[in-house]
Amino acid sequence: MTKKVEAKNANVSYKDFQALHDINLVLENEKIYGLIGRNGAGKTSLLSLLAGYRKATSGEVEMVGETIFENEKAMSQITFVYQSDYKDNHDTIHKYFDLAERYRPTFDRTYAEQLAKVFQLPLNKPLKTLSAGMQSAFQVTIGLANRTPITIFDEAYQGMDAPTREIFYNEILEEQSRYPRTFILSTHLISEMEYLFDEVLVVHQGKLILQEQVDTLLERGYSVTGPTHDVLEAVSGLHVLNEEQLGGTKSVMLYGELTKEKEDEIKRKELDIGTISLHDLFIHLTKEGL
């Protein structure tokens, strides 16, 4: 699988504030990436770089070896969907489809109209008159139907209710099967969306602290529960993320490789080994960093 996008020591500064610090990453073709981070971590700044909307203060962001920023050829292969304010927009969805069909060679109008029916979008009403949920559904419709090689969604589905988001998630998977591409999904809805991701990127305080396949990441997070003394002995020297105590029972959340030797020790002590969700791992990894 070939790489599609690469960032090399990319930094972004706004006057005296550095939003991104030495970002190095490689995104491959035909993968779905989940981008997660706390509020203000730098997610939107990073996505703006990857979409070519912003130039790195220093460093490089490239698509197949070519700089993305102000590169018409590269940017034509990217769709960046983010929350927009349509309160003064009198255009209809139908008109937006006309524009997309004119300026996006990969735009599939038939698919866009199918999605509009699924999302129950009125094609001839001004966008300003639509609910927040319908506006979000319109945005993801454009993003999906553009069918560009790189499709980025920056929390653009926040206005949707749960059933509508589920339709969107299913469409992501179906589209990846029909027209494989690179998807990047920025979200706070980690528990709801983690099944979509092939890899996860974690941004914390402007730094990319982790890029890992989801399955591999989840294997590195685990819990050990049992009598306090035995648990403390078993986890000595390991990377502890969190501890909880209930009476004489202790549960410890850990991050790192569980070696066969350590696993055998835990089992000899008859302690319970449990799994940790991506959501919980994210909370504790960004609480203290790696």
Side-chain angles (χ1 to χ4, degrees):
M1 190 174 288
T2 58
K3 65 186 179 184
K4 193 70 179 180
V5 177
E6 185 171 10
K8 304 174 182 176
N9 301 114
N11 294 273
V12 170
S13 297
Y14 305 100
K15 295 185 179 179
D16 296 329
F17 174 69
Q18 188 164 355
L20 295 176
H21 305 258
D22 292 323
I23 300 295
N24 289 279
L25 60 79
V26 173
L27 305 182
E28 297 175 333
N29 288 329
E30 302 178 12
K31 280 190 173 185
I32 301 176
Y33 291 89
L35 175 63
I36 58 179
R38 293 173 181 254
N39 290 334
K43 300 188 299 299
T44 296
S45 293
L46 176 56
L47 294 179
S48 297
L49 278 185
L50 299 177
Y53 279 44
R54 177 174 296 279
K55 179 178 175 59
T57 307
S58 62
E60 298 293 335
V61 181
E62 300 175 342
M63 177 191 294
V64 196
E66 293 187 17
T67 299
I68 295 177
F69 185 71
E70 294 186 338
N71 182 331
E72 185 176 347
K73 177 184 174 183
M75 292 187 68
S76 70
Q77 299 183 63
I78 302 170
T79 295
F80 184 24
V81 182
Y82 52 90
Q83 287 184 297
S84 299
D85 184 358
Y86 296 104
K87 66 181 181 181
D88 297 319
N89 195 313
H90 296 271
D91 292 332
T92 65
I93 293 176
H94 188 277
K95 183 172 182 180
Y96 269 93
F97 287 177
D98 288 342
L99 292 170
E101 198 168 32
R102 184 180 306 168
Y103 295 109
R104 284 284 190 181
T106 55
F107 180 74
D108 188 325
R109 183 161 194 148
T110 299
Y111 179 46
E113 291 175 348
Q114 289 173 353
L115 287 173
K117 287 183 179 179
V118 171
F119 289 127
Q120 301 180 24
L121 298 176
L123 298 183
N124 294 311
K125 285 188 176 182
L127 278 170
K128 63 179 288 186
T129 67
L130 303 185
S131 67
M134 283 190 173
Q135 290 178 2
S136 292
F138 157 70
Q139 290 182 290
V140 303
T141 294
I142 292 291
L144 289 167
N146 274 351
R147 284 180 168 158
T148 48
I150 297 173
T151 304
I152 301 172
F153 292 101
D154 184 13
E155 299 280 2
Y157 23 83
Q158 274 193 336
M160 296 177 176
D161 57 25
T164 309
R165 291 198 304 271
E166 190 62 31
I167 293 171
F168 169 62
Y169 303 155
N170 289 335
E171 284 299 326
I172 287 282
L173 295 176
E174 290 291 333
E175 272 294 280
Q176 192 67 331
S177 175
R178 291 185 293 246
Y179 294 91
R181 67 190 95 161
T182 301
F183 281 104
I184 309 172
L185 309 174
S186 170
T187 185
H188 288 99
L189 304 173
I190 301 169
S191 297
E192 189 172 291
M193 295 179 67
E194 66 176 86
Y195 74 97
L196 299 172
F197 306 148
D198 296 306
E199 288 190 19
V200 65
L201 307 165
V202 180
V203 178
H204 185 53
Q205 296 179 350
K207 299 177 181 179
L208 181 66
I209 64 169
L210 187 148
Q211 177 180 355
E212 189 62 84
Q213 292 185 23
V214 172
D215 291 344
T216 302
L217 177 59
L218 291 176
E219 286 175 1
R220 290 181 180 167
Y222 59 99
S223 64
V224 175
T225 305
T228 300
H229 178 74
D230 291 339
V231 168
L232 290 175
E233 277 191 347
V235 304
S236 177
L238 301 181
H239 185 171
V240 175
L241 295 177
N242 190 53
E243 301 181 30
E244 294 182 357
Q245 186 82 38
L246 181 61
T249 300
K250 193 173 192 67
S251 182
V252 176
M253 185 183 297
L254 301 145
Y255 180 80
E257 180 186 0
L258 177 59
T259 64
K260 183 67 167 59
E261 180 182 9
K262 180 58 69 173
E263 183 178 5
D264 289 343
E265 178 188 348
I266 292 170
K267 288 180 177 178
R268 282 197 304 272
K269 294 178 180 292
E270 298 183 347
L271 303 174
D272 293 326
I273 301 176
T275 58
I276 300 175
S277 69
L278 179 59
H279 180 267
D280 286 340
L281 271 175
F282 160 71
I283 288 173
H284 294 291
L285 287 172
T286 56
K287 183 169 63 177
E288 62 172 67
L290 282 174

